[in-house]
Amino acid sequence: MLATYILKKLFSETPNNIKFQSKFLVFYIWTSFVALFTLPFFVFRPRNVKNSLCGAQIVKHVTKLIEVKWHLRNGRILAEDRGAVIISNHQSSLDILGLFNVWHVAVKVAAIARKELFYIWPFGLAAYLAGVVFIDRNSTKDAYKQLKITSDVMIKNKTKIWIFPEGTRNKDFTKLLPFKKGGFNIAVAAQVPIIPVVISPYYFINRKKNIFNKGHAIIQCLEPVPTKGLTMEDVPKLITKVRNIMEIAYKELSKEVISALPPNYPLETED
C-alpha cells in the first residue's frame, strides 16, 4: 500500500511533497553512490584536488535525471591556469551540482564546505579525500587556519578555491546576502585575483508549492578582480566592490530567465 501511494504521488500531475523531494533525493543518492564507488581510488592519492574532478565527471550526469541544464558563460576565465579565489552566490544544494558541471573547465579546484558536511558519509569522507576543505564556522580561528593552509596549496599548485561567502542559502531573487570576509582575506594575503561567479535564480523550484520543474541555470563568470597591492585594510572596500558587481549581474540574470517564462509561472517569492 505504501509503495502504491508513493508511486501514485510520483506520477501525479499535481505537485506534491513526495514528487518534489524525490528530485533532491535522486541527486543525494547518486552522489553517495559515486562517493562510495570512488573512495578506494581516492585513497591512493589522498587530498588531491584531481580526485574531485574525477568524481564530478561522474556525478554531473544526474543532471539529466532531474532535468536541469547548466549553461556556462565566459568559461575562459575559469580555464586560466592560476591560483584564484572564486566567489559565488549560494541558493541551494543544487549549487554543488552546478559546480560539478563546470569543474572540468577549472580543473584544479578546492571547494570550501562547512564542517558538518564531513560527517555525512560516504560523501563527507570522499569529499575530504578529494581535497574539499571543511571549516568550522563557529570557530573563526580554526576556519582561518584551514583557509591559510589551503591558500598555500593554491599558490604552489595554481589551484582555485571556491567559496560561497553568503554563508547560507539565499532564496531571494532580487538581492544577495551580506558577504563574509574569510575568502577575501585569503585572496588579499595571497595576492591572487578574485573570480566572481554568479548562478542565476532557480526559477523552476518553488518550495512552498512543492514544485520542481525542468529548467536551466546560467553560471556566469565575471571579470577577475585583482588584489595585487591591496592590504587587509582594503578588504571591506573589496567586499563591497565584488558584492556590488555580483548583485548587478544576479539581477540581470534574474530578469533574463524570468522574462522568458510564460505568464502566471509559479515563481517562489519571499514573504
Side-chain angles (χ1 to χ4, degrees):
M1 290 179 64
L2 179 60
T4 301
Y5 174 77
I6 292 175
L7 287 173
K8 184 178 179 180
K9 289 292 184 180
L10 287 175
F11 291 98
S12 173
E13 294 293 330
T14 305
N16 58 77
N17 190 52
I18 291 178
K19 190 175 181 179
F20 175 78
Q21 296 295 343
S22 67
K23 290 285 188 83
F24 288 100
L25 192 60
V26 167
F27 171 39
Y28 300 152
I29 291 176
W30 177 243
T31 302
S32 296
F33 173 78
V34 172
L36 192 61
F37 174 76
T38 55
L39 263 174
F41 301 97
F42 289 177
V43 169
F44 289 102
R45 53 177 188 184
R47 307 297 294 149
N48 191 318
V49 294
K50 290 185 178 180
N51 289 339
S52 294
L53 176 61
C54 295
Q57 290 299 94
I58 302 174
V59 174
K60 71 178 185 180
H61 293 294
V62 77
T63 291
K64 299 172 184 177
L65 292 178
I66 64 175
E67 299 181 292
V68 177
K69 294 182 179 180
W70 302 90
H71 303 287
L72 176 63
R73 292 180 179 173
N74 298 331
R76 59 175 178 78
I77 297 174
L78 282 183
E80 291 187 38
D81 186 23
R82 61 179 173 185
V85 174
I86 300 173
I87 298 294
S88 180
N89 58 311
H90 188 25
Q91 305 173 93
S92 163
S93 57
L94 287 186
D95 297 338
I96 304 301
L97 186 54
L99 173 54
F100 287 161
N101 274 267
V102 302
W103 209 298
H104 65 284
V105 178
V107 182
K108 292 184 290 185
V109 180
I112 306 298
R114 66 180 187 274
K115 189 176 181 179
E116 291 79 5
L117 289 178
F118 171 74
Y119 300 104
I120 303 176
W121 286 24
F123 172 76
L125 181 57
Y128 174 78
L129 292 173
V132 172
V133 180
F134 295 96
I135 61 173
D136 185 356
R137 291 178 180 170
N138 297 319
S139 174
T140 303
K141 184 178 180 180
D142 179 68
Y144 183 80
K145 180 180 178 181
Q146 289 299 321
L147 287 174
K148 179 64 173 66
I149 294 173
T150 305
S151 70
D152 293 338
V153 175
M154 172 183 62
I155 298 171
K156 182 180 178 181
N157 300 332
K158 295 183 179 180
T159 300
K160 300 176 183 68
I161 299 177
W162 195 300
I163 297 177
F164 298 103
E166 290 173 289
T168 188
R169 298 172 187 177
N170 181 17
K171 302 173 185 177
D172 192 335
F173 284 8
T174 63
K175 62 182 179 180
L176 302 180
L177 296 176
F179 284 1
K180 298 182 183 300
K181 64 182 181 179
F184 296 90
N185 284 342
I186 295 301
V188 170
Q191 295 287 280
V192 297
I194 290 173
I195 302 177
V197 173
V198 182
I199 305 173
S200 63
Y202 300 137
Y203 64 88
F204 45 87
I205 295 178
N206 188 322
R207 298 169 183 80
K208 297 176 182 177
K209 295 184 178 180
N210 292 318
I211 293 174
F212 193 142
N213 294 327
K214 62 181 180 180
H216 76 286
I218 301 168
I219 302 176
Q220 182 165 325
C221 304
L222 306 181
E223 290 299 320
V225 178
T227 64
K228 199 170 183 64
L230 298 183
T231 66
M232 289 302 169
E233 294 181 357
D234 299 310
V235 168
K237 290 183 180 179
L238 179 63
I239 293 175
T240 300
K241 177 181 179 179
V242 172
R243 185 179 180 278
N244 285 344
I245 61 176
M246 287 181 65
E247 190 161 82
I248 291 172
Y250 183 66
K251 290 179 179 179
E252 291 175 348
L253 288 176
S254 180
K255 183 178 180 180
E256 178 182 342
V257 297
I258 292 175
S259 63
L261 299 176
N264 301 318
Y265 190 91
L267 289 170
E268 181 175 7
T269 57
E270 292 288 303
D271 292 331

